[in-house]
Amino acid sequence: AEPFVYITPDSVYVGTRHKRTLCKNTGGPLKTVKDVEKFISELKPDAPLKSVSFNGNEPPAVNDYNVILAGAFKLDAPLPATVGHVNTTSCTEIYDYFLARKN
């Protein structure tokens, strides 16, 4: 399954429907859209995004549909179309939302 990147108020994960790995702590909740965009721009394969592949090392790269904010965020403006948001931290629900964004 294709991995996606999700950001909770305190951490960044790479996950699929059945696996996830903690990549980094956010250092506190992101409060502005500008903070979110800057934080996402710093997410690179292996720095800190990790692979969840069973075969080899295949960390994901950020693209137009695979980054999702998961959980409760109070931001100052609407998110750009390249960043999704789902008000849950359930891995299954986040993955279902990712599939809907992808398709």
Side-chain angles (χ1 to χ4, degrees):
E2 181 179 354
F4 62 98
V5 178
Y6 68 99
I7 304 166
T8 67
D10 59 357
S11 302
V12 177
Y13 296 89
V14 170
T16 65
R17 180 175 297 283
H18 301 290
K19 293 173 63 177
R20 74 175 178 170
T21 186
L22 173 66
C23 298
K24 165 181 181 168
N25 290 325
T26 60
L30 302 170
K31 296 183 179 175
T32 68
V33 171
K34 191 171 190 167
D35 290 344
V36 171
E37 290 172 327
K38 181 179 184 304
F39 188 80
I40 291 171
S41 73
E42 297 169 354
L43 300 177
K44 307 290 183 213
D46 282 328
L49 300 180
K50 298 178 183 177
S51 175
V52 290
S53 175
F54 286 111
N55 300 319
N57 183 34
E58 300 173 14
V62 169
N63 65 32
D64 287 344
Y65 62 85
N66 73 345
V67 177
I68 299 167
L69 296 185
F73 283 85
K74 294 180 181 173
L75 300 174
D76 62 342
L79 289 167
T82 56
V83 181
H85 177 251
V86 61
N87 196 18
T88 183
T89 54
S90 160
C91 294
T92 302
E93 291 178 42
I94 297 167
Y95 189 73
D96 290 343
Y97 179 76
F98 162 70
L99 289 179
R101 279 183 56 82
K102 179 181 171 182
N103 296 327

